[in-house]
Each structure stands twice: as C-alpha cells, then as structure tokens.
Amino acid sequence: MSASGQEAAEQRVQEVVRRHGRTRAFAEAEDVISFVLSDPGVQQARARVEAAEA
C-alpha cells in the first residue's frame, strides 16, 4: 500500500473510532437520563413543577 493510501486508511479508521465513541457516549447519556427520570423523587418533583406551571 502506498503512503498516501495508508494515510487515507488510517484517517478512515480514526473517523470510525470517533463515530463509535460519539454513538456510545450518546447511548450512555440516554441510559443515565432514563435512570434519573425514573427515580420516584424526580418524578414527584417534576409533577410539582408541572402542576405549578398549570
């Protein structure tokens, strides 16, 4: 493989790794948000805020 071909391949690999990292970070963030929102105390606080806004 030529030097430029190898550089292009390395860039593709780096982009795939970055994309995977972003995808995984978003999935982990969604899990954390879901966990927090499922907490009974958070649900009660949210209900109080929504009732106060109405």
Side-chain angles (χ1 to χ4, degrees), residues 11-47:
Q11 288 177 344
R12 286 192 298 274
V13 168
Q14 288 174 359
E15 179 55 34
V16 168
V17 169
R18 279 193 293 271
R19 196 174 327 132
H20 174 73
R22 284 191 298 266
T23 301
R24 183 170 176 173
F26 276 106
E28 289 177 8
E30 286 177 334
D31 289 345
V32 169
I33 291 167
S34 294
F35 179 77
V36 170
L37 292 178
S38 69
D39 181 87
V42 172
Q43 290 176 354
Q44 291 172 356
R46 183 176 180 182

Side-chain angles (χ1 to χ4, degrees), residues 46-54:
R46 183 176 180 182
R48 286 193 302 268
V49 168
E50 289 174 350
E53 291 176 348

